[in-house]
Amino acid sequence: MNPDLLPNDEHRHLEFVMDRLRRKRPDVTGEVICETVDRVHHRFDGCRVRDFVPLLVERRAEGELAAPQPDSPAL
C-alpha cells in the first residue's frame, strides 16, 4: 500500500467521487449513488495496490449509473 494514500485518504477521495457523480447525474438520487459507489468499492477489497481505486470506482460507478435500469420506465 502506498503510504501516501492511507485508508482515510481513500475514503476522502471516494467522497469527492460521490460529489462529482451527484453533479454529473442530478437525475439519480444521492442514496443510489452512495450505494453504487459502496458496492463498486467493495469489489476492490483485498487488492494490495490502492493508489487508483478511487479512479476505478468512479469510472465503473459512472458506467453503471449511465446504464438503463430494468425497472425504469421507457421514454
Side-chain angles (χ1 to χ4, degrees), residues 4 8 22 25 32 45 47-48 53 57 60 66 68 70 72 74:
D4 296 330
N8 287 338
R22 285 185 194 108
R25 299 300 314 257
V32 169
D45 287 351
C47 293
R48 293 178 58 205
V53 168
V57 168
R60 185 166 294 202
S72 297

Side-chain angles (χ1 to χ4, degrees), residues 17-18 21 28-43 57-58 60-66 69:
V17 165
M18 286 188 274
L21 289 173
V28 179
T29 67
E31 182 179 345
V32 169
I33 288 172
C34 186
E35 289 171 357
T36 303
V37 167
D38 188 52
R39 183 173 73 295
V40 170
H41 182 242
H42 283 294
R43 291 180 183 170
V57 168
E58 182 170 6
R60 185 166 294 202
E62 189 171 3
E64 287 186 17
L65 292 169
Q69 301 301 314

Side-chain angles (χ1 to χ4, degrees), residues 4-6 8-11 21 49 51 54 57 67 70:
D4 296 330
L5 188 61
L6 300 173
N8 287 338
D9 287 339
E10 184 173 303
H11 290 288
L21 289 173
V49 178
D51 295 348
V57 168

